[in-house]
Amino acid sequence: MIEYAVLSSGGTDGAPVGGIAGWAADLMESLGAPGAGLAIALENLFPPLPSEIILPLAGFTASQGGMSLVAALVWTTLGSVVGALALYWVGALLGRDRVVAIAEKLPLVKASDVHRTEAWFLRHGTKAVFFGRFIPVFRSLISIPAGVERMRLPVFLGLTAAGSALWNAIFVLAGYGLGSRWHEVSDIVGVYSKVVLAVAAAALVALVVIRLVKSGSGRRRAGKR
């Protein structure tokens, strides 16, 4: 059995017993490398689960003999692909017409937004699927438009596997090399994730404000007629 020490606020080495890391540690202790893959598959489906915690922890577990390093790399990549594939099929089942219909019912969202997104994805979809694996939250969401547009499945799987393998390897190897100091990786990348999410939130707020201003201007012009 792998011994996991409690990570205290004072910086005690080891993996925390509670929280997301404790849950992931329990999965890996119970299932080994497939447990790491399952955790990453769920991370794709539920973006609030942070891969920057799960992946270094998988590397640390490998360094402690809980699984082989190769198994950690293979299973976490497989988990990424399985999670992304599930979201791809969500997009495929929804289809373009349903997405447009849903968009038309949402406040401040227009069908034209869907059309522009579709046009953008047709031009940049392959790059978005590959590089999107390096961006928090986006790595999950990008699989849905890929499904809506019915990107060729071999292309989608190949790009997802390649991008995920690179992203996962960086963090698994970092956790493996740092050993009981694996949490230093998640501390650093956590800042990156927060910056990305803050930028995305700011962009969303800006879009809403612009839409509200345009909507108000349109109503005033209509009232003057």
Side-chain angles (χ1 to χ4, degrees):
M1 179 181 294
I2 300 171
E3 299 268 341
Y4 289 105
V6 176
L7 179 60
S8 70
S9 58
T12 304
D13 288 341
V17 172
I20 293 173
W23 163 78
D26 289 341
L27 271 181
M28 295 177 206
E29 185 172 351
S30 301
L31 303 176
L38 176 59
I40 289 298
L42 292 173
E43 181 265 339
N44 273 263
L45 295 172
F46 305 102
L49 292 175
S51 65
E52 63 265 19
I53 289 179
I54 298 170
L55 293 170
L57 180 56
F60 167 64
T61 303
S63 74
Q64 299 297 297
M67 65 182 83
S68 75
L69 180 58
V70 172
L73 293 169
V74 170
W75 277 98
T76 53
T77 298
L78 180 61
S80 296
V81 172
V82 169
L85 184 60
L87 291 173
Y88 174 94
W89 286 117
V90 168
L93 290 173
L94 278 175
R96 182 175 177 275
D97 293 340
R98 286 183 183 174
V99 171
V100 171
I102 292 171
E104 289 176 336
K105 294 178 181 178
L106 295 175
L108 303 176
V109 179
K110 303 176 182 178
S112 59
D113 295 331
V114 178
H115 300 319
R116 281 195 295 269
T117 301
E118 178 184 31
W120 179 89
F121 191 86
L122 290 173
R123 291 194 303 271
H124 307 291
T126 53
K127 293 190 290 288
V129 169
F130 178 80
F131 291 107
R133 302 304 161 192
F134 310 139
I135 304 173
V137 180
F138 189 78
R139 74 171 62 97
S140 296
L141 298 181
I142 192 58
S143 300
I144 297 176
V148 170
E149 297 301 327
R150 290 299 183 109
M151 174 182 277
R152 290 179 56 236
L153 200 52
V155 174
F156 175 78
L157 292 175
L159 292 169
T160 299
S164 298
L166 181 56
W167 173 264
N168 294 356
I170 291 170
F171 292 98
V172 171
L173 292 173
Y176 186 88
L178 287 170
S180 59
R181 291 164 42 236
W182 65 271
H183 52 84
E184 294 179 8
V185 180
S186 59
D187 293 342
I188 295 172
V189 181
V191 175
Y192 161 72
S193 298
K194 289 176 182 176
V195 169
V196 170
L197 293 176
V199 170
L204 180 60
V205 170
L207 176 62
V208 170
V209 170
I210 291 170
R211 285 286 165 83
L212 288 173
V213 170
K214 286 184 176 179
S215 177
S217 299
R219 285 196 296 269
R220 285 194 296 271
R221 284 195 297 269
K224 292 178 181 179
R225 292 176 184 173

